Amino acid sequence: MALQTIFGVDIVKGSSRSREAPHYAVAILNGNVEKYSSVSRFKLLRLIKQYRPGILAVDSITELAENKKDLVSFLRRLPPEVKLVQVTGNEHQEPLTKLGRENGISFNPMVPEEEALAAACLASMGVGYIVSVFEDKTLIKVSRGRSPGRGGWSQNRYRRKVQGRVREKVREIEAKLKDRVYDLHITEGFGGYVNGTFIVNARRSELGIHSSREEDVQVTVTSVEKEAIEFIPLEKKKRDYIIVGVDPGTTTAVAILDLNGKLVEVSSSRVSSVPDIIEHISEMGRPVVIATDVVPPPAAVEKIKRTFNAVLFTPNERIPVEEKVRLARPLGYSNDHERDALAAAVKAFNAYKNKFAQIDKKTPSHLSGDVKALALEGKPVEVALDMLTAPPIAEKPKAPAQAETDVDGRLEELRAQLRRKDEQVEHLRAYVSDLKRELKHLELRLKSQERVIDRLKSKGLDEARKAREVAIRDGEISRLKKEVSGLKRRNAELQSNIDRLKDIRAMEFRGDKAPVKVIESLSRDAILECDRKFGIKAGDVIFIRDAGGGMEAASMLIERGVKALIKGTPMSHLAEEKFFKAGVPVLSREDVPLKFVDGYAVLDPGRLEAAMKRWKEEAADQERRSREERLLGIIDEYKARRAREYRRDGRTLQ
């Protein structure tokens, strides 16, 4: 396993508060020792990015930054895996020389290189506190790489291109975060996104996504800042009391919280057996509660509970998925199994949270964990305190011959026990008095909360009524908008028809071209559509693209008194005969050439009159032939009838 690189830093001249640029002495531990007597802040940052140490150790963070804002700015410039460690303590610091003596490190405090080396050595021994200014959350912002500018002929096309690239980058990052828990806020724009902001429940070093800048889009990756600086012990305490949530199965997940509800670890594995899980939990601490999210608890959870002689926590009923997400989301998880284990642990902590808070009020901080563990076993707080604080009683060895004679010593021992019992009783009475006062306080608080709830209910009903009325009005507004939009479209269509009719009327007045109204087919619907758009009146010339229609459509045109019909395709015999009987000329498109303009056609009036004259002449000839045929038929019928009568008369005479 590779050794962890550690930087020790001490200021040489200047300071974070002065105008003079500070210089630092640097000691690097990475199997060997490297020293730099004086480097600038820029050179220090370059060395850190070159070596990428695990720890940057200082004796005081004020040597790096004057205030929290400057400290955050400095830490944002470091690689995400680097931990800043203040070796002299947290808010309450101890001299570096004292810590050196206690840990067997001797150095000259007047030489900055030796102070830097001492800080690095102390950090390597687990001395100091990690300076934490960032949450375990990361902010990723995707935005345009440059402004669209003041405008021009191609501004819209350019804006669409840039904002389309922003949308592509957002989707690319979404694909990389598909197994992470995150929130996404998007500002949409023309052709894509103006920007997109991710808040991911993970450290920046875990994501593998870095700040970048391209031609049209830029990505900024930063950690989310905490409200206050937090100091975390560099070396974790061993065997702390913990609450463990377990989700057994093909994939087993374990979530561990400390007794303050803070997340220690959440993990999952497909290859861990129950003994492996027990060993892992044992390494993490002393479990006092083993929790599960189902009822009844699985056999594996029961076995883990018996191994540690811990309290088993099960909910009254199976925890719904929505509640699991609500409980686990603030702490972060990678899959559903980790979510279930984490929800069980948080549910257990919430069940004991009030009791833990009471214990924190009544006990010293160094005894808090032990008292909580005893309280979970069922012991009253005062009894647990007495067990932890009472001095041990050394039993005096008794010789067998003196057992009956040492009555006074035994009596004194019993009296001491009685005094301790009396003290315990007094402690318990005081505890009962505290509980009664707290009960009264809670009753008053409950009444106050009930009044607040009543007010909120009343306010909520008013807001619900307003929201319902607003929704009704919004629906009506939406309906009216649709109606207005439809009327506008209809108005535009009618205006277009008016313009066409004006053109037709102008042609009629000029007489150079005759307008022809176009019907798509010889059908009732097509005739009505043309009538709606242009109006069909007596004396109109009609062109029918598809003339294969029936008698009903022919009757509709005859009733409207059209002057002539021009057929685009052959017409049925029945329809053409009906037009013939009504005296409406049916002309072929070859006889009358047409020119189409904006939904209607025009023709030469002279050609139309000539074609109609020919049709009328042909119709007159056909009518004459028809009359002759009818007359010849009458004559033939008369001759046949006379022949029949002659034959009948001849038979009668014989």
Side-chain angles (χ1 to χ4, degrees):
M1 180 178 178
L3 292 174
Q4 178 179 223
T5 301
I6 300 176
F7 269 42
V9 175
D10 187 61
I11 197 160
V12 176
K13 66 175 182 176
S15 74
S16 60
R17 298 181 178 87
S18 68
R19 293 185 179 180
E20 183 181 3
H23 281 65
Y24 300 94
V26 181
I28 304 175
L29 298 181
N30 57 353
N32 298 314
V33 177
E34 296 179 43
K35 293 182 181 180
Y36 295 86
S37 59
S38 180
V39 299
S40 65
R41 180 184 287 252
F42 175 80
K43 178 68 178 295
L44 173 62
L45 290 170
R46 194 168 64 183
L47 286 172
I48 292 172
K49 291 178 181 178
Q50 176 185 347
Y51 284 87
R52 307 187 78 84
I55 293 175
L56 174 63
V58 296
D59 61 347
S60 176
I61 57 175
T62 58
E63 296 180 353
L64 297 175
E66 178 182 357
N67 50 43
K68 183 191 173 208
K69 180 181 178 181
D70 293 340
L71 179 63
V72 170
S73 176
F74 176 81
L75 292 177
R76 287 194 190 281
R77 300 173 68 183
L78 301 183
E81 66 270 17
V82 178
K83 297 176 183 176
L84 176 61
V85 174
Q86 183 171 268
V87 296
T88 53
N90 45 26
E91 296 89 346
H92 308 289
Q93 296 176 245
E94 296 182 64
L96 187 65
T97 52
K98 177 184 175 184
L99 293 171
R101 285 195 304 272
E102 292 175 353
N103 292 276
I105 299 173
S106 60
F107 64 95
N108 184 353
M110 303 302 294
V111 181
E113 296 99 308
E114 295 194 17
E115 281 207 359
L117 181 58
C121 291
L122 288 171
S124 70
M125 298 167 65
V127 178
Y129 286 77
I130 299 171
V131 181
S132 177
V133 297
F134 299 120
E135 299 278 0
D136 289 340
K137 293 183 179 181
T138 304
L139 180 70
I140 304 174
K141 185 171 183 180
V142 184
S143 59
R144 297 178 300 201
R146 50 185 174 177
S147 171
R150 298 179 60 185
W153 289 102
S154 303
Q155 185 190 33
N156 287 338
R157 183 170 67 251
Y158 176 71
R159 182 184 290 111
R160 183 170 63 248
K161 172 196 171 189
V162 172
Q163 295 178 167
R165 285 287 298 117
V166 173
R167 179 175 57 192
E168 292 175 6
K169 180 61 72 172
V170 168
R171 290 176 177 173
E172 178 183 334
I173 294 175
E174 274 187 293
K176 292 181 180 179
L177 298 176
K178 63 180 180 179
D179 296 326
R180 298 283 183 180
V181 178
Y182 64 88
D183 293 321
L184 173 59
H185 304 281
I186 293 171
T187 302
E188 295 189 359
F190 179 62
Y193 298 155
V194 177
N195 58 58
T197 303
F198 297 83
I199 300 177
V200 189
N201 289 340
R203 295 185 181 92
R204 183 161 57 107
S205 58
E206 299 172 355
L207 298 181
I209 300 173
H210 307 286
S211 297
S212 62
R213 186 179 185 93
E214 301 174 8
E215 181 181 0
D216 296 322
V217 63
Q218 63 181 357
V219 179
T220 306
V221 183
T222 57
S223 298
V224 177
E225 183 181 340
K226 290 183 178 179
E227 293 182 1
I229 298 175
E230 184 178 356
F231 293 87
I232 303 170
L234 181 59
E235 193 171 57
K236 292 183 180 179
K237 295 180 180 179
K238 301 300 181 182
R239 304 291 294 163
D240 285 340
Y241 292 108
I242 55 176
I243 297 172
V244 182
V246 182
D247 181 54
T250 305
T251 298
T252 300
V254 176
I256 300 175
L257 306 179
D258 63 16
L259 297 190
N260 293 319
K262 292 185 178 180
L263 179 65
V264 177
E265 183 199 58
V266 60
S267 60
S268 58
S269 173
R270 295 177 61 89
V271 296
S272 295
S273 62
V274 173
D276 294 334
I277 297 168
I278 292 172
E279 182 179 355
H280 176 67
I281 294 173
S282 179
E283 291 175 353
M284 299 303 297
R286 288 179 288 180
V288 291
V289 177
I290 302 295
T292 180
D293 65 327
V294 295
V295 181
V301 177
E302 289 275 9
K303 183 175 181 180
I304 295 170
K305 175 258 181 187
R306 287 194 300 270
T307 301
F308 293 108
N309 194 25
V311 175
L312 177 63
F313 174 84
T314 56
N316 296 328
E317 57 184 4
R318 183 182 291 271
I319 305 175
V321 174
E322 295 81 4
E323 185 177 358
K324 291 179 184 179
V325 173
R326 180 179 60 81
L327 293 171
R329 183 186 290 275
L331 300 178
Y333 54 86
S334 300
N335 53 56
D336 291 346
H337 305 286
E338 293 183 4
R339 177 201 65 196
D340 293 350
L342 196 53
V346 174
K347 188 85 171 176
F349 171 75
N350 289 340
Y352 299 113
K353 183 166 61 175
N354 291 337
K355 178 181 286 189
F356 289 168
Q358 293 174 4
I359 292 172
D360 288 335
K361 292 178 182 178
K362 297 178 180 296
T363 59
S365 59
H366 67 283
L367 295 177
S368 175
D370 294 319
V371 173
K372 290 175 183 177
L374 292 172
L376 288 172
E377 293 177 3
K379 294 181 174 59
V381 176
E382 302 299 332
V383 174
L385 272 173
D386 188 65
M387 292 173 62
L388 294 170
T389 57
I393 301 171
E395 294 186 1
K396 296 180 180 179
K398 300 178 183 179
Q402 297 175 348
E404 295 180 359
T405 61
D406 197 8
V407 176
D408 292 338
R410 177 60 177 165
L411 182 60
E412 186 62 31
E413 182 182 344
L414 291 174
R415 285 173 179 169
Q417 290 182 4
L418 181 59
R419 284 194 298 272
R420 288 196 298 273
K421 295 297 182 184
D422 290 340
E423 290 175 358
Q424 289 181 6
V425 170
E426 290 300 323
H427 286 315
L428 290 174
R429 285 174 179 170
Y431 181 57
V432 170
S433 298
D434 291 341
L435 290 178
K436 287 180 178 179
R437 285 195 297 272
E438 187 171 355
L439 179 61
K440 290 181 181 179
H441 172 71
L442 291 174
E443 288 174 349
L444 293 174
R445 186 178 177 186
L446 178 61
K447 291 179 181 178
S448 174
Q449 294 297 328
E450 287 175 349
R451 289 193 293 270
V452 172
I453 289 171
D454 291 338
R455 288 198 299 271
L456 291 175
K457 283 182 178 178
S458 177
K459 183 179 179 181
L461 290 174
D462 292 340
E463 291 179 352
R465 283 193 292 270
K466 290 178 182 177
R468 186 166 58 252
E469 292 177 1
V470 170
I472 292 172
R473 292 177 184 177
D474 288 344
E476 181 65 14
I477 289 170
S478 177
R479 185 188 67 78
L480 291 174
K481 284 182 178 179
K482 290 179 181 178
E483 186 175 340
V484 168
S485 178
L487 291 173
K488 286 181 178 179
R489 288 195 298 272
R490 176 61 177 161
N491 186 42
E493 183 180 348
L494 292 174
Q495 186 62 46
S496 176
N497 292 341
I498 290 171
D499 294 339
R500 293 192 187 99
L501 291 173
K502 286 180 179 178
D503 293 342
I504 293 173
R505 184 66 64 185
M507 290 179 184
E508 290 176 346
F509 285 146
R510 286 196 303 269
D512 54 348
K513 293 291 183 181
V516 178
K517 295 175 182 177
V518 179
I519 298 177
E520 296 299 325
S521 63
L522 186 58
S523 65
R524 181 176 181 276
D525 292 340
I527 293 171
L528 293 176
E529 177 66 17
C530 180
D531 194 15
R532 186 180 68 82
K533 286 186 176 181
F534 305 109
I536 300 176
K537 64 182 187 299
D540 283 345
V541 178
I542 305 297
F543 170 64
I544 304 174
R545 292 186 187 276
D546 182 4
M551 301 283 288
E552 182 183 0
S555 299
M556 291 175 66
L557 293 174
I558 293 170
E559 290 173 359
R560 283 165 170 75
V562 298
K563 180 179 180 181
L565 294 174
I566 301 172
K567 57 183 180 180
T569 60
M571 185 178 292
S572 68
H573 173 71
L574 293 176
E576 192 162 3
E577 184 178 356
K578 192 168 186 66
F579 284 120
F580 178 79
K581 289 180 179 180
V584 178
V586 178
L587 309 175
S588 173
R589 185 173 177 180
E590 289 77 13
D591 297 334
V592 186
L594 299 175
K595 182 178 181 181
F596 292 90
V597 180
D598 291 336
Y600 57 90
V602 295
L603 51 72
D604 184 352
R607 298 286 294 272
L608 174 65
E609 292 299 330
M612 290 179 62
K613 183 178 180 181
R614 287 194 300 274
W615 183 87
K616 289 178 180 179
E617 290 174 353
E618 291 175 359
D621 291 342
Q622 185 176 349
E623 181 66 24
R624 185 172 56 255
R625 287 194 300 272
S626 179
R627 285 198 302 270
E628 290 176 353
E629 289 176 358
R630 285 198 301 271
L631 180 60
L632 291 174
I634 292 171
I635 294 171
D636 291 340
E637 183 181 354
Y638 175 77
K639 288 180 176 179
R641 182 166 54 82
R642 290 296 298 164
R644 286 194 300 271
E645 290 176 353
Y646 177 77
R647 287 193 297 271
R648 187 174 61 250
D649 292 342
R651 285 194 301 270
T652 303
L653 291 175
Q654 292 176 0

